[in-house]
Amino acid sequence: MADSTNPTVYEIFESMEQGPAAATSTPTAQAWLDHHSRSLGFFMDGKFILPADRRSLSLTDSKGGVVCSTVCAEDADVSQCASSAAAGWKSWSSLSCSQRAKALLRLVGVLGLHGQCVSELCALCEASCSPTALVRLLQYYSSWAQLRDTLIPGWTPVGVVVVVSSDDCSLYSLMLKVLPALAMGNSVIVVPGRSAAPPTLLLAQLFTGAGLPAGALNILTGSDVTLGAKVSRNPDVRLIAYCGNKQDGLALCKASAGMGVPVSVSSCVGATCPFIIFESADIDSAVDEVIQIAFKKKEVHWVLCVQESVSDSVVARLKLRMANIKSVPLSSDADRVLVDAAVQEALQQGATLVQPCGVSPGARYPPTVLCGAAPSSPYVVTPPPGPLLPLLMFRSNTEAVLLGNHSPHGHAASIWTEDLTLALETAKSLSVGSVWVNSSSVSDPCFPVSGHKDSGTGTDGGQEGLYQFLRPSFSSPLPRPSPVSLEYSKFGTEAAQVVIPDSTDGASIPQSYPQFVGGKACKSVSGCSVAVQAPGGDSVLAFCPDGGRKDVRNAVEAAIKVQPGWMKKSPSARAQSLYSLAKGLESRRKEVSASVGAQLGVPAEEADREVELSVGRLNVWAAYCDKVQGGSPPMTQSGAALSFPEPLGVVGIVLPDNAPLLSMVTVLGAAIATGNAVVMVPSQRFPLPALAFVQVLQSSDLPAGLVNIITGNRDQLTVALANHSVIKAIWYWGSAQVRTTRYHR
């Protein structure tokens, strides 16, 4: 007979009280925190370290209660952690691919056993991530650990990787950087944000207990992301991978500038993403999805774009669905001030509000739709933190794309329509990294994701996301330069020295070469020229234009006009243009070879060999045009996924002094074969081979403005390229001082 003191199932159901918890041998999150006295230190060399006399920071939950405290690392802790990671990398990278894969697979079982504890700790710290998602990450990257040498031959791990996240970054986004770095054989130093620090420390303990070598995974906590820059001062660190908001990412880049460490940035937090509803959409399903994602605490802000013909229907359904939604807690009183200011500004601009209840004072605010918002309003471009959803209207498909691309971010978008052709055309026209059709926030590690515009430069997921943690095995690691200080106000301002020979003695004046901008040979805007010295330096070979900022501006304007059309050309059409360019270089072989020989002072056979290699290199890139293709990554749920490689846009290229012709056609072919336009700066010492190549470009069928060549002071032109907002990337060969410098727009 059952104990009469225990409530029946019916009584529990009626009172909605929680039943007795099942007995478990695994510790709860509270027990784990209590075991560490709710004061968490660092994790290095496979164990916890809690040094004395360190400043600590408290982590609070949504109700204001203190969850735990973390300590802030000092220089001695940073040095110890870097030494631990260097030793861990030697033991971890020495394992075979199969051994690393087995170690990662063991973590799946450990995570399954302690999944409840991880889930509870994530909920306490508001670092959203489910154990199921972590298991999927481990399964995916353990398979890549097994197949690295098979599917990615000729590549080796970079070494010690520092992974940094902002305070508002989720645990999932952080582990999407950590696990592929481990799978490729690197050791990792994690500098987590405040909310993700406790779950990350718990995972490090579980992973090490499951067999991960000591030092392979290290956790260092601090007050802000600049701790990652302090760690990167160690010569063993080879890469910084960042995920989080744009402001912290910018601070990290500034703090690490001059250290010679590449930084991969994924600004996945705080981005503004369009949610586009066409008239051909299933309105009920679209509105249900909006309610699910728009008013919860989230990493991104959504902007609702609705076709005008169905706007009334969408607003009516929103009012109905929002009727029973409660007010949402805000993070702080400062957020409440920002939300109130945004709502007042919207009302002054003529917007109308849709709210389920009245606004009351305090740190809670009702979900609010701002109907009739202006696209250029600050609360649309950069919405404040809070349950606000701007609603914009559009008439045509073109207007929908313009609204979707109006944001400075390019993280993701959601399109709702039952017209597949319309969905694909809109998806390819949006400047975002991910587009969901009739869904939203679908993520899987097999999907390669790369942001556009302010949403970062890094690629996560898929095979493409692994290369940031690898380097070619045939090349040795680049030496780490000492940090340099650079006076930006004076850099690149040196005036070129122009020497004009006196021809009164009967000597002939050297030839003056033009530069190549917008498909035309032309002088520089300044009208000045610089002398090109002979190899011995005792005479002047020729004069070339002294280009400057205005020449870069003109070249970029020409490139941006032609690049979208070149990108849309079929791969076979781009290949034919490159084959034609190679044929044109072959037909002018003697002239170009003579220019290379005169400029470098090498024998005719050596100059002719460089031209021959250049012709072959152009043919290689022509053949490569139709080999760059996307695919269809497998879906873990119903539906289909498509992956499309996209060009960067307009690329700046500052060429090296070595092999001036071959180096130029190598990077030129790579850029235009994949759909980009280029603005090139030839070698300042040896510009004549590039200027001789101008005649080949003039006789080719490449669109005018696709390739631009500007000569002059390399540092001055580098500054102009780096400060231009349209330039999407710069390939730079030059001084170590400039290579270790970062420019911030």
Side-chain angles (χ1 to χ4, degrees):
M1 183 175 177
D3 188 356
S4 59
T5 60
N6 292 331
T8 65
V9 174
Y10 177 78
E11 290 172 340
I12 293 176
F13 180 78
E14 285 294 312
S15 63
M16 297 305 292
E17 293 178 355
Q18 190 171 4
T24 176
S25 60
T26 59
T28 64
Q30 297 287 359
W32 183 80
L33 290 171
D34 291 337
H35 176 72
H36 292 277
S37 302
R38 296 191 177 266
S39 181
L40 304 178
F42 314 124
F43 190 87
M44 57 183 76
D45 201 22
K47 57 183 180 295
F48 279 100
I49 296 177
L50 184 59
D53 302 327
R54 295 292 188 270
R55 186 166 65 95
S56 63
L57 298 174
S58 297
L59 175 65
T60 58
D61 56 21
S62 58
K63 298 180 180 179
V66 177
V67 177
C68 63
S69 64
T70 57
V71 295
C72 298
E74 296 183 357
D75 291 343
D77 307 314
V78 170
S79 178
Q80 183 181 357
C81 187
S83 300
S84 171
W89 177 62
K90 290 180 181 179
S91 58
W92 180 240
S93 61
S94 64
L95 300 178
S96 66
C97 290
S98 177
Q99 289 173 320
R100 284 195 296 271
K102 289 179 180 178
L104 292 176
L105 278 176
R106 284 196 297 270
L107 304 183
V108 174
V110 172
L111 195 59
L113 181 63
H114 297 273
Q116 183 64 29
C117 181
V118 175
S119 180
E120 290 176 3
L121 192 58
C122 288
L124 279 174
C125 303
E126 299 183 356
S128 59
C129 185
S130 67
T132 304
L134 290 176
V135 167
R136 171 59 183 153
L137 284 174
L138 284 167
Q139 290 173 338
Y140 181 76
Y141 286 114
S142 64
S143 63
W144 269 116
Q146 177 75 47
L147 299 173
R148 190 199 73 186
D149 291 347
T150 304
L151 297 183
I152 318 179
W155 293 79
T156 190
V158 295
V160 178
V161 176
V162 179
V163 179
V164 186
S165 70
S166 60
D167 290 341
D168 48 6
C169 183
S170 69
L171 180 63
Y172 180 86
S173 298
L174 178 63
M175 299 309 292
L176 193 58
K177 296 280 190 183
V178 173
L179 292 179
L182 287 173
M184 293 300 100
N186 304 280
S187 64
V188 180
I189 299 174
V190 183
V191 182
R194 197 172 303 178
S195 60
T200 307
L201 287 164
L202 172 59
L203 289 176
Q205 180 184 4
L206 295 176
F207 289 0
T208 303
L212 199 68
L217 180 59
N218 308 271
I219 315 297
L220 208 58
T221 55
S223 58
D224 54 43
V225 296
T226 57
L227 176 61
K230 293 180 181 179
V231 179
S232 67
R233 293 174 184 168
N234 188 280
D236 293 314
V237 173
R238 292 295 171 181
L239 173 70
I240 301 175
Y242 169 79
C243 55
N245 59 59
K246 176 188 173 184
Q247 293 76 15
D248 285 344
L250 188 59
L252 176 63
C253 288
K254 288 182 178 179
S256 61
M259 297 180 185
V261 181
V263 181
S264 171
V265 178
S266 298
S267 298
C268 55
V269 178
T272 303
C273 303
F275 191 103
I276 303 174
I277 302 178
F278 288 100
E279 60 184 0
S280 54
D282 180 349
I283 304 298
D284 288 318
S285 298
V287 171
D288 287 342
E289 189 71 15
V290 169
I291 297 297
Q292 288 293 322
I293 67 172
F295 303 122
K296 295 180 179 180
K297 186 175 181 180
K298 52 197 180 299
E299 289 189 341
V300 301
H301 302 285
W302 290 97
V303 174
L304 184 58
C305 305
V306 182
Q307 196 154 13
E308 196 174 72
S309 57
V310 294
S311 60
D312 292 340
S313 177
V314 169
V315 172
R317 285 171 169 80
L318 282 172
K319 292 179 179 179
L320 182 63
R321 303 292 201 282
M322 293 171 58
N324 297 321
I325 300 181
K326 298 180 180 179
S327 295
V328 178
L330 302 176
S331 300
S332 63
D333 293 336
D335 288 350
R336 176 59 187 262
V337 173
L338 294 175
V339 169
D340 287 338
V343 172
Q344 289 301 318
E345 183 181 4
L347 292 174
Q348 291 173 3
Q349 294 179 356
T352 58
L353 307 183
V354 176
Q355 295 175 323
C357 58
V359 179
S360 58
R364 301 181 69 88
Y365 203 87
T368 303
V369 179
L370 307 174
C371 302
S376 58
S377 300
Y379 59 86
V380 175
V381 179
T382 54
L388 301 183
L389 178 65
L391 188 151
L392 313 178
M393 288 184 286
F394 62 88
R395 294 185 180 88
S396 63
N397 305 343
T398 304
E399 286 186 15
V401 172
L402 289 175
L403 288 178
N405 289 333
H406 183 66
S407 168
H409 308 100
H411 179 61
S414 180
I415 299 172
W416 289 76
T417 176
E418 295 183 351
D419 186 339
L420 181 59
T421 302
L422 174 61
L424 291 175
E425 289 179 353
T426 306
K428 297 188 90 172
S429 300
L430 290 171
S431 297
V432 296
S434 301
V435 178
W436 300 293
V437 178
N438 295 332
S439 62
S440 68
S441 304
V442 178
S443 61
D444 191 83
C446 68
F447 300 158
V449 178
S450 180
H452 286 231
K453 297 181 283 188
D454 285 356
S455 291
T457 58
T459 299
D460 298 318
Q463 182 175 345
E464 295 84 351
L466 301 176
Y467 288 101
Q468 60 185 317
F469 305 111
L470 298 169
R471 64 172 177 84
S473 55
F474 57 81
S475 65
S476 58
L478 293 175
R480 282 284 302 275
S482 301
V484 296
S485 59
L486 185 66
E487 191 170 350
Y488 287 88
S489 60
K490 294 183 179 180
F491 177 74
T493 59
E494 298 86 354
Q497 298 296 322
V498 181
V499 179
I500 302 179
D502 187 2
S503 61
T504 57
D505 58 356
S508 60
I509 299 177
Q511 179 182 355
S512 294
Y513 284 85
Q515 58 188 10
F516 191 62
V517 176
K520 299 178 181 179
C522 59
K523 297 181 179 180
S524 66
V525 174
S526 66
C528 298
S529 297
V530 294
V532 181
Q533 301 293 328
D538 54 352
S539 61
V540 176
L541 277 179
F543 290 96
C544 65
D546 181 26
R549 179 178 56 83
K550 293 183 179 180
D551 297 284
V552 171
R553 177 200 62 192
N554 295 340
V556 173
E557 287 179 357
I560 197 64
K561 289 179 182 178
V562 71
Q563 191 271 332
W566 176 253
M567 174 185 66
K568 293 178 181 178
K569 278 196 170 187
S570 66
S572 60
R574 292 201 298 267
Q576 291 303 316
S577 294
L578 279 170
Y579 280 127
S580 175
L581 188 64
K583 187 176 180 181
L585 179 58
E586 179 73 27
S587 66
R588 293 184 177 273
R589 183 172 189 149
K590 290 184 179 180
E591 297 94 320
V592 178
S593 178
S595 176
V596 173
Q599 177 74 93
L600 301 180
V602 297
E605 295 80 7
E606 187 175 339
D608 193 62
R609 174 63 176 166
E610 183 170 344
V611 176
E612 181 182 355
L613 290 173
S614 301
V615 172
R617 193 62 53 83
L618 286 173
N619 284 324
V620 167
W621 284 117
Y624 191 77
C625 283
D626 57 357
K627 307 304 183 295
V628 181
Q629 54 188 354
S632 179
M635 290 279 289
T636 56
Q637 53 188 341
S638 61
L642 298 175
S643 173
F644 299 103
E646 291 185 339
L648 293 171
V650 180
V651 177
I653 302 175
V654 183
L655 295 165
D657 294 336
N658 297 333
L661 179 65
L662 180 60
S663 61
M664 181 190 66
V665 299
T666 299
V667 293
L668 169 66
I672 65 177
T674 49
N676 301 284
V678 296
V679 178
M680 296 195 300
V681 178
S683 164
Q684 188 172 344
R685 290 180 57 198
F686 309 125
L688 297 189
L691 295 177
F693 189 73
V694 166
Q695 296 181 353
V696 179
L697 292 170
Q698 286 178 310
S699 60
S700 71
D701 62 350
L702 293 177
L706 185 70
V707 180
N708 304 272
I709 300 176
I710 303 174
T711 57
N713 183 286
R714 176 163 55 189
D715 291 345
Q716 184 180 11
L717 294 173
T718 300
V719 171
L721 289 170
N723 289 330
H724 202 295
S725 61
V726 174
I727 299 291
K728 300 299 183 183
I730 296 179
W731 295 347
Y732 178 84
W733 286 265
S735 66
Q737 185 184 35
V738 181
R739 287 201 306 270
T740 57
T741 304
R742 292 193 178 92
Y743 295 87
H744 309 285
R745 297 166 183 158

